[in-house]
Amino acid sequence: MDGPTDPPCSWVRKVVSPENCEKRPLRSQSSPINPKRDVEVWVGMTVEELARAMAKDIDYIYEALLNTAFDMDSLEANSHLDEVWIKEVIKKAGMKLRWSKLKQEKVRENKNAVRRPQADPALLTPRFPVVTIMGHVDHGKTTLLDKLRKTQVAAMEVGGITQHIGAFLVSLPSGEKITFLDTPGHAAFSAMRARGAQVTDIVVLVVAADDGVMKQTVESIQHAQEAQVPIVLAINKCDKADADPEKVKKELLAYDVVCEDYGGDVQAVHVSALTGDNLTALAEATVALSEMLELKADPTGPVEGTVIESFTDKGRGPVTTAIIQRGTLRKGSILVAGRSWAKVRLMFDENGRTLNEAYPSMPVGIVGWRDLPSAGDEILEVESEPRAREVVDWRKIEQKEEKDRDDLKVMEEQRKEHQEAHRKAREKYGSLHWKKRSYIKYLERKEQRPLKPKEKAEKDSNVLPIIIKGDVDGSVEAILNLLDTYDASHECELELVHFGLGDISENDVNFAETFDGIIYGFNVGAGKAIQQSAAQKGVKIKLHKIIYHLIEDLQEELSSRLPHRLEEYPIGEACILATFSVTEGKRKVPVAGCRVQKGQLEKQKKFKLIRNGQVIWKGSLTSLKHHKDDVSVIKTGMDCGLILDEEKVEFKVGDEVVCYEENEIPAKTSWDPGF
């Protein structure tokens, strides 16, 4: 048989020698045909970085993650990938991954501004103390401060409650000076009291002699102790007949506030802010304590301080109240605070008088901020405007990177939740027949159908979108902290769609219209044009000057969105003395012979049958007779026969029949903000 004289070597490799195969080398059996490529990866790398490491385009990464549990809607070139998805992509590409020990990033130069090292003791000069007045609401803090500085702040405070922190410099007859911080005592302003304690040297704890230790008293003590600030006790309202200073001192022992009378080191001064009695002794006690503390500061070099309060003034723009802690502030100084900076255009004291310089311990109003810093931000002076912009830009980048890290954590948590839900779903359907599985999925899709207009209206009624506007940063902060305590979302969802400072604007009205929400303003105004616009768009604007009135208003609005509850009001009670039946047509109908014990039975009302304390039937009557006459009302002491609208119910002698009516009662939200 003729065959090919020169067969291809690939066919007869075992027969033909390699020399006859056109010098084609024979591959070693041990060498890999397609070696896997190593890809160096690290946790948190972006889609773009992974594509570059794999020498692929970004679309390849997208395609590799399709049909997985990954949220493709959120995937972008700069999206960070978790470990599980990096492994998934590498596996699908047929490559090997190699974890980088540490991603070698170029270290970004720290451009932040920081406080200077501690000053040379030789440069320090004595300074006057910063004293914070703390205590429970309505225990007389503002009145006491008013007497000390002889102005009428207390008369200006709405509702007798200090609405936001005030910083004042008080000159005593002895020539001594004290900076007082008047922090609010209301429950809503806990964060502001804490901020006051952090910048202060001495806390004057005001406790009413007729009221004793209260919730905010304890909170104030905790703030002072955490900040390691000494306390001077001012027992106020000692002019009242029911005043009991000794009781106050004993109650304070439970909170480690031990007065000198009981062997401790806390000075206690009995005062009356209303009459001014013994206020000089309180000031002297404060000055004496400050002398013992030997308070000193460095008045030279760049300024350091703390923002006590911030707000937007119509004529001046962003304004802060600050306490200077180091250096001397002058007009033209360049400051940074948080992510804002300022070139000081104007400085003024608590009475609005212009200042040329502000020294350590002085409270000062500062005008010239580009943006509004937050209360509690650290103020630092820098050498120039470019340097200030550099610091602010660096802090904004740091904030963005921190947010990215937080977002990455949230994405990881959501991925784990999604995987867990996917696993449970597979377990749920895994053992079911395909017909049963299809039917269950159909029912689930049916539940997720788009809401009909009526259903949508009912759902929307259980959501209350709100917009908060306040006069100063601290007030808005306090309101938001209160809203954080909201725990009645199962009744009505409270949705904060926007908050800010300043008067109500057209933008706020548009926001409220879009979300069908309500605007709450605290110590702010709404112009006539704004009110007309809101009325035309059906937007409610609610303005308040007292914080607990605002919260009460919000509670009422939440309550109005809850379904009314039904309350039963008994009209009469009867006892069953006998049971029998009557024939109606071809059927026997059970009849209860009763005597009315209390009130009266009215046929048109609702009835219930009670046996051994348990309600066994509710409904209405088809017949109510006195002897043989049909009646509509049976009064106390009269006998009657009655037939229920449900024939299957069996009567027993001794059962109780109650006639009642149902009234709709407005529901009240269960949210308790802690007033």
Side-chain angles (χ1 to χ4, degrees):
M1 181 178 178
D2 295 331
T5 58
D6 191 15
C9 67
S10 58
W11 294 357
V12 288
R13 184 169 297 168
K14 291 183 181 178
V15 179
V16 183
S17 65
E19 291 79 9
N20 299 326
C21 290
E22 300 177 0
K23 299 182 180 180
R24 186 171 177 178
L26 183 67
R27 279 183 180 156
S28 168
Q29 294 292 326
S30 62
S31 63
I33 294 173
N34 185 21
K36 290 187 177 181
R37 178 183 170 186
D38 278 6
V39 179
E40 186 177 16
V41 297
W42 56 89
V43 175
M45 70 190 306
T46 64
V47 172
E48 190 175 14
E49 288 170 338
L50 180 57
R52 196 182 305 120
M54 295 174 64
K56 302 283 187 181
D57 58 20
I58 291 175
D59 288 341
Y60 183 88
I61 310 298
Y62 286 134
E63 289 169 7
L65 292 173
L66 280 174
N67 301 319
T68 67
F70 193 91
D71 182 10
M72 298 298 292
D73 293 336
S74 65
L75 191 63
E76 295 179 2
N78 60 351
S79 296
H80 294 275
L81 293 173
D82 301 330
E83 180 179 336
V84 65
W85 301 120
I86 294 172
K87 288 181 177 179
E88 180 76 13
V89 174
I90 299 292
K91 181 181 176 182
K92 286 187 176 180
M95 299 180 180
K96 281 176 63 179
L97 62 81
R98 177 165 49 85
W99 291 104
S100 171
K101 292 181 181 178
L102 276 176
K103 184 185 174 188
Q104 299 298 319
E105 289 184 339
K106 184 180 178 182
V107 179
R108 184 159 48 87
E109 185 182 353
N110 190 331
K111 301 288 186 179
N112 199 11
V114 294
R115 287 181 180 262
R116 290 178 284 155
Q118 287 190 347
D120 183 346
L123 298 175
L124 301 181
T125 58
R127 64 174 178 84
F128 42 87
V130 178
V131 178
T132 299
I133 306 286
M134 287 188 173
H136 190 73
V137 61
D138 200 32
H139 275 199
K141 302 180 306 301
T142 305
T143 308
L144 186 151
L145 190 59
D146 174 50
K147 284 289 183 181
L148 286 170
R149 67 189 183 100
K150 296 181 180 178
T151 60
Q152 291 300 314
V153 172
M156 294 163 59
E157 295 293 356
V158 183
I161 296 173
T162 311
Q163 302 293 348
H164 52 80
I165 197 166
F168 312 99
L169 182 62
V170 176
S171 296
L172 303 177
S174 61
E176 300 285 346
K177 290 184 177 180
I178 303 175
T179 291
F180 281 101
L181 303 184
D182 181 18
T183 62
H186 199 272
F189 293 92
S190 171
M192 295 170 69
R193 278 200 300 284
R195 184 157 61 245
Q198 289 162 4
V199 298
T200 196
D201 302 308
I202 299 168
V203 165
V204 172
L205 181 66
V206 180
V207 186
D210 62 337
D211 205 8
V213 175
M214 303 296 285
K215 181 181 177 181
Q216 280 87 52
T217 312
V218 176
E219 203 174 71
S220 299
I221 293 169
Q222 290 171 347
H223 289 319
Q225 290 173 341
E226 287 169 7
Q228 298 183 337
V229 176
I231 292 174
V232 172
L233 177 62
I235 304 177
N236 194 23
K237 303 187 180 182
C238 287
D239 55 313
K240 286 196 169 185
D242 55 347
D244 190 352
E246 292 305 313
K247 177 191 170 189
V248 171
K249 295 177 185 177
K250 289 175 182 176
E251 287 178 350
L252 288 171
L253 291 173
Y255 304 100
D256 294 329
V257 178
V258 185
C259 298
E260 291 175 335
D261 298 355
Y262 292 87
D265 56 359
V266 176
Q267 300 178 78
V269 185
H270 300 185
V271 300
S272 170
L274 193 63
T275 63
D277 290 348
N278 230 18
L279 293 191
T280 304
L282 176 63
E284 288 172 351
T286 305
V287 170
L289 181 56
S290 70
E291 289 174 350
M292 289 174 59
L293 295 174
E294 296 184 348
L295 301 173
K296 293 183 178 181
D298 175 15
T300 64
V303 168
E304 297 174 8
T306 300
V307 176
I308 299 298
E309 193 47 88
S310 60
F311 57 94
T312 301
D313 184 87
K314 281 185 179 179
R316 295 171 170 174
V319 179
T320 62
T321 302
I323 296 290
I324 305 303
Q325 294 167 307
R326 189 175 182 183
T328 301
L329 182 63
R330 297 179 177 86
K331 186 177 177 181
S333 297
I334 309 297
L335 307 176
V336 291
R339 289 174 295 280
S340 178
W341 67 278
K343 182 175 182 179
V344 180
R345 297 201 319 263
L346 177 68
M347 297 185 297
F348 56 91
D349 64 12
E350 69 276 7
N351 296 312
R353 292 191 294 261
T354 301
L355 298 174
N356 294 319
E357 293 181 331
Y359 304 99
S361 294
M362 279 185 67
V364 59
I366 302 172
V367 177
W369 295 96
R370 297 304 188 268
D371 299 297
L372 196 66
S374 298
D377 280 349
E378 180 182 66
I379 294 176
L380 297 173
E381 184 179 1
V382 294
E383 58 271 18
S384 64
E385 291 186 27
R387 172 62 180 141
R389 292 192 190 95
E390 184 179 59
V391 171
V392 170
D393 289 344
W394 192 90
R395 291 179 177 181
K396 287 178 179 177
I397 291 171
E398 280 287 290
Q399 183 193 30
K400 182 180 181 302
E401 289 182 351
E402 185 177 351
K403 182 179 180 298
D404 288 344
R405 287 192 291 269
D406 292 341
D407 290 345
L408 191 61
K409 289 180 182 177
V410 172
M411 285 171 59
E412 174 65 13
E413 289 171 3
Q414 289 176 342
R415 181 191 64 77
K416 288 179 180 177
E417 288 174 6
H418 187 81
Q419 278 191 327
E420 182 65 17
H422 184 64
R423 183 187 64 78
K424 287 182 178 178
R426 291 188 66 178
E427 289 177 357
K428 179 180 177 182
Y429 301 130
S431 59
L432 297 176
H433 187 269
W434 69 269
K435 287 185 178 180
K436 182 70 173 174
R437 185 165 64 243
S438 300
Y439 179 66
I440 291 175
K441 288 185 176 181
Y442 162 75
L443 292 178
E444 290 176 349
R445 286 196 302 271
K446 190 176 178 183
E447 288 178 3
Q448 295 170 0
R449 73 193 190 284
L451 295 175
K452 296 176 181 177
K454 184 179 178 182
E455 292 173 328
K456 188 175 187 301
E458 290 175 357
K459 185 177 184 296
D460 290 345
S461 69
N462 288 330
V463 179
L464 176 58
I466 59 170
I467 292 169
I468 301 293
K469 294 298 289 287
D471 57 340
V472 294
D473 185 70
S475 297
V476 174
E477 175 193 8
I479 295 170
L480 297 186
N481 286 343
L482 263 181
L483 297 183
D484 283 342
T485 69
Y486 185 70
D487 55 1
S489 294
H490 59 287
E491 299 171 345
C492 179
E493 189 176 340
L494 185 61
E495 191 175 76
L496 179 66
V497 297
H498 177 63
F499 63 89
L501 302 182
D503 290 342
I504 312 298
S505 66
E506 186 66 33
N507 189 44
D508 299 324
V509 175
N510 292 336
F511 255 123
E513 182 189 22
T514 302
F515 290 95
D516 192 24
I518 298 175
I519 301 172
Y520 283 92
F522 181 68
N523 267 343
V524 296
K528 191 174 181 181
I530 297 296
Q531 291 183 3
Q532 289 174 348
S533 173
Q536 289 171 359
K537 295 176 179 178
V539 172
K540 291 183 185 176
I541 296 178
K542 299 192 172 189
L543 305 177
H544 294 276
K545 291 186 178 296
I546 302 176
I547 193 167
Y548 57 79
H549 286 174
L550 185 151
I551 297 302
E552 285 172 356
D553 190 321
L554 181 56
Q555 286 178 299
E556 289 174 7
E557 190 65 41
L558 287 163
S559 299
S560 71
R561 294 178 177 243
L562 303 181
H564 287 200
R565 56 188 176 86
L566 294 175
E567 276 199 2
E568 296 179 359
Y569 287 89
I571 297 172
E573 298 176 6
C575 183
I576 296 179
L577 303 178
T579 64
F580 50 93
S581 60
V582 296
T583 303
E584 290 185 354
K586 293 183 179 181
R587 58 193 177 90
K588 288 188 176 182
V589 180
V591 179
C594 306
R595 178 170 295 158
V596 180
Q597 308 286 340
K598 187 189 297 183
Q600 61 186 30
L601 305 187
E602 299 180 21
K603 185 182 177 183
Q604 301 305 318
K605 301 296 184 183
K606 294 188 176 183
F607 286 79
K608 57 184 175 181
L609 183 64
I610 299 175
R611 181 176 299 155
N612 298 326
Q614 301 292 322
V615 176
I616 62 172
W617 168 86
K618 278 187 175 184
S620 56
L621 303 184
T622 58
S623 175
L624 180 64
K625 291 191 176 186
H626 179 58
H627 299 309
K628 294 184 179 181
D629 300 326
D630 287 317
V631 293
S632 58
V633 178
I634 297 289
K635 296 186 177 179
T636 303
M638 296 176 66
D639 294 337
C640 66
L642 53 84
I643 300 175
L644 309 183
D645 61 358
E646 188 177 336
E647 296 177 6
K648 293 182 180 179
V649 177
E650 293 184 5
F651 298 116
K652 285 188 179 180
V653 174
D655 286 353
E656 185 182 0
V657 177
V658 177
C659 174
Y660 68 95
E661 63 180 357
E662 290 181 334
N663 290 342
E664 285 192 346
I665 304 297
K668 189 175 181 182
T669 178
S670 61
W671 175 40
D672 180 12
F675 291 161

